Amino acid sequence: MIAQVAIILPIALPLATMAMLLLAWNSVAAQKVIGVVGSALLLLSAAALMWLVDRDGILVLQVGNWPPPFGITLVADRLSSIMVMLAGLMVFAVSVYSIATIDDRRIDFGFHPLIQLLLMGVCGAFLTGDLFNLYVWFEVMLISSFVLLTLGGERGQLEGAIKYVTLNLVSSAVFLAAIGVIYAATGTLNMADLALKLRSFPDEGIVSVLAMLFLIAFGTKAAVFPLFFWLPASYHTPPVAVSAIFAGLLTKVGVYSLIRSFTLLFVTDLEFTHNLLLVIAGLTMVTGVLGAMAQTEIRRILSFHIVSQIGYMLMGLALFTPLALAGSIFYIIHHIVVKTNLFLIGGIVERRFGTGRLAEVGGLYRSAPVLATLFFVSAMSLAGVPPLSGFFAKLTLIQGGLEAERYAIVAAALMVSLLTLFSMTKIWAEVFWKPTPEGTGVKASRNPRATTEQVSLFGPTLLLATITVGIGVMAGPVMIASLATAEQLLDPDIYIKAVLPDSHLTESQTGFLVPETNVASVAAQNLESHGPLASIREGAVR
């Protein structure tokens, strides 16, 4: 019973919070309080869910007691519980940040209920166990994110929103078509049941075509090469709080869907599917960082960097080894925290100067040293400078690439890392280091004066920067958790057995040899054997 409640809470809490926000529609102050409290409760429920999954293994809820594959299935494994936890953390940080940055007019138009609706869609996508409901949760996210993008009705917002919604509607249409074809071919949409049926599907060519349809659908939502153009065209237009939550979470739902489908469903032709993923990963890294280098506005640079970093997350999936996939998971954890924080800090800079253009800002190193420090920590972590979180994520991926003898992608990852450092240094030099350009300056009216405003602006950025440092300091435990998650993903029979306990899997047929409760210890043993990472574990043990 506790497990069932724990699975449903990340979806039910945003829904309940949204209902309370609608009841408090006429009170801006009440909406701010309810939004923050609701987000905090979600964060607590997500932490409880992650703890239960770590203790008990995969949790499954058959909604309405309909047996699978006929009913709605919710599944919380290690990956989905981590993603729900990160979603709760990001929305809590953004809710606090929005107290000082979202004006009353946008709150009157429904900012807080829309954020909760978006969060419900994100958590639903992470926890669903069937493809049709994944489509439904994607549509919930698309509707809420489109309205959030246009909230305020400014010209730039509408232009960005049209590009955003057009390409995402195309990907939704492809996704729906793929769902129709796969249902016609197999008669099921339950992911565990699909995984079983696709293994013995007689026509491997049809399975490969289906894999490509899902790659296009999820790849568009994840903003991979060459389907990423909607992202840098839209993420710089809405209020910073909206940009931050989009930057942290939305593309990661696409990445999550790719990891789920290409570790559970489409694993029969790895030579074709995962080699293609590897090429896409490399091109996504390179094109994203080149786009970032050409930009001269903070949020546009950061938006292109989202594209570039998605390539690193795909790299581990494409290499398809425990270490490389663990690197992807580590990278997702690190990137969600860092990227959200960089957008929040960029928003504070924009608030002070009234613009994010690099040529029109400067001098913040002297006038705002705390802000400069927070940016420096997050920027260096994104670039992969030790001992911050990004260093260990990239180290793991590169080591995974070397072990798999995929030297081209390793070279691309190292080169892109250097270019990322260059573009982060460019922001640092222009915004913080150089003197304030003549004729511009900090807008006195935009400086936070009240204590509550300062806490609202700097509290979330300080929290996320601290977590970034904490991930670097505690890289050993994070790495062990990532390896345990990778081990679980690479043995899909664990997932199938949890959802379909009466399925006809046998030990000899499936290789289901690792008890779920022992996955973390197996991961820790694997970590010990990986040369340079052994020191990380030793630090964690101490």
Side-chain angles (χ1 to χ4, degrees):
M1 183 63 184
I2 293 176
Q4 293 177 338
V5 172
I7 296 178
I8 201 72
L9 269 181
I11 300 173
L13 273 174
L15 180 63
T17 306
M18 184 172 62
M20 293 183 66
L21 287 164
L22 293 175
L23 291 173
W25 187 269
N26 293 324
S27 173
V28 169
Q31 287 198 50
K32 289 180 179 179
V33 172
I34 293 171
V36 173
V37 171
S39 302
L41 290 175
L42 175 68
L43 178 58
L44 292 174
S45 72
L49 177 64
M50 195 165 72
W51 178 75
L52 283 171
V53 169
D54 184 61
R55 189 192 68 175
D56 300 336
I58 295 177
L59 306 180
V60 179
L61 171 64
Q62 307 295 349
V63 179
N65 283 330
W66 285 88
F70 306 107
I72 296 173
T73 303
L74 297 178
V75 186
D77 64 354
R78 287 182 177 274
L79 178 61
S80 55
S81 64
I82 288 172
M83 299 303 288
V84 169
M85 175 69 188
L86 291 168
L89 177 62
M90 293 311 111
V91 81
F92 173 71
V94 169
S95 294
V96 174
Y97 187 87
S98 68
I99 291 174
T101 57
I102 297 297
D103 56 70
D104 291 354
R105 189 167 66 95
R106 284 187 168 89
I107 293 177
D108 285 338
F109 285 154
F111 169 80
H112 287 291
L114 286 166
I115 284 288
Q116 295 300 323
L117 181 63
L118 176 72
L119 189 63
M120 186 173 72
V122 169
C123 291
F126 290 148
L127 292 172
T128 187
D130 70 87
L131 288 177
F132 184 74
N133 280 290
L134 181 59
Y135 170 79
V136 171
W137 292 124
F138 267 128
E139 294 311 294
V140 170
M141 285 190 293
L142 181 60
I143 292 168
S144 54
S145 58
F146 176 67
V147 182
L148 281 167
L149 271 174
T150 57
L151 211 60
E154 296 174 6
R155 183 185 178 88
Q157 287 181 268
L158 295 175
E159 184 181 339
I162 288 171
K163 296 170 184 172
Y164 172 86
V165 78
T166 302
L167 281 172
N168 275 280
L169 279 176
V170 170
S171 76
S172 293
V174 174
F175 186 18
L176 192 59
I179 287 175
V181 174
I182 206 168
Y183 185 74
T186 63
T188 183
L189 292 176
N190 182 285
M191 293 185 195
D193 198 32
L194 263 177
L196 278 179
K197 291 186 174 176
L198 287 176
R199 287 181 186 183
S200 55
F201 198 76
D203 192 334
E204 196 172 278
I206 291 180
V207 177
S208 295
V209 170
L210 285 169
M212 292 304 100
L213 287 175
F214 280 95
L215 177 58
I216 293 170
F218 296 149
T220 304
K221 295 184 183 300
V224 304
F225 178 88
L227 307 167
F228 63 82
F229 294 103
W230 59 269
L231 193 154
S234 58
Y235 272 25
H236 66 287
T237 59
V240 172
V242 176
S243 289
I245 199 73
F246 282 17
L249 289 181
L250 284 197
T251 51
K252 309 310 176 300
V253 182
V255 174
Y256 166 85
S257 302
L258 283 171
I259 292 176
R260 179 68 69 199
S261 53
F262 284 87
T263 56
L264 180 65
L265 304 179
F266 305 114
V267 290
T268 54
D269 189 6
L270 297 178
E271 186 71 22
F272 170 65
T273 56
H274 287 64
N275 279 340
L276 179 60
L277 278 171
L278 196 62
V279 173
I280 292 173
L283 292 172
T284 305
M285 282 183 206
V286 174
T287 52
V289 80
L290 291 178
M293 292 175 66
Q295 301 302 312
T296 57
E297 196 266 334
I298 297 173
R299 274 200 277 173
R300 282 182 181 272
I301 296 173
L302 296 177
S303 297
F304 272 101
H305 273 306
I306 296 173
V307 176
S308 175
Q309 309 297 310
I310 294 297
Y312 285 95
M313 300 170 205
L314 286 188
M315 176 181 167
L317 171 64
L319 292 172
F320 212 60
T321 65
L323 184 62
L325 192 54
S328 284
I329 294 158
F330 199 124
Y331 206 96
I332 292 172
I333 296 170
H334 136 79
H335 186 263
I336 288 177
V337 176
V338 167
K339 183 56 71 175
T340 303
N341 204 25
L342 283 171
F343 267 87
L344 296 182
I345 294 168
I348 297 175
V349 175
E350 286 186 19
R351 183 183 175 85
R352 283 171 173 256
F353 289 94
T355 179
R357 296 187 186 90
L358 298 181
E360 300 175 23
V361 299
L364 282 183
Y365 176 74
R366 292 182 181 278
S367 61
V370 173
L371 186 65
T373 304
L374 293 173
F375 175 84
F376 186 80
V377 168
S378 298
M380 292 303 103
S381 181
L382 188 74
V385 174
L388 299 167
S389 57
F391 168 74
F392 294 102
K394 290 183 179 178
L395 173 66
T396 309
L397 282 171
I398 288 168
Q399 192 177 21
L402 291 174
E403 280 190 359
E405 298 181 351
R406 298 301 187 107
Y407 302 116
I409 194 71
V410 170
L414 290 171
M415 182 192 72
V416 170
S417 187
L418 286 175
L419 296 178
T420 303
L421 179 61
F422 170 78
S423 55
M424 283 292 106
T425 306
K426 182 172 76 172
I427 298 179
W428 168 262
E430 294 286 333
V431 177
F432 297 96
W433 199 253
K434 78 175 184 192
T436 307
E438 291 184 8
T440 62
V442 175
K443 306 287 188 286
S445 60
R446 295 174 182 270
N447 268 331
R449 285 165 291 190
T451 303
T452 52
E453 193 175 349
Q454 289 180 338
V455 171
S456 170
L457 286 174
F458 288 95
T461 57
L462 181 61
L463 171 67
L464 296 181
T466 304
I467 292 173
T468 299
V469 175
I471 293 174
V473 173
M474 300 291 289
V478 178
M479 191 64 227
I480 290 172
S482 300
L483 265 173
T485 307
E487 299 269 3
Q488 191 178 72
L489 288 169
L490 291 174
D491 190 353
D493 295 335
I494 298 175
Y495 185 98
I496 296 169
K497 267 290 186 183
V499 178
L500 302 170
D502 297 328
S503 60
H504 300 294
L505 290 172
T506 65
E507 186 173 291
S508 60
Q509 289 173 331
T510 67
F512 180 61
L513 299 173
V514 182
E516 168 59 13
T517 51
N518 289 335
V519 169
S521 61
V522 171
Q525 291 169 12
N526 286 344
L527 180 63
E528 189 172 7
S529 64
H530 291 302
L533 291 176
S535 59
I536 299 173
R537 181 172 177 272
E538 289 173 4
V541 171
R542 284 198 296 271

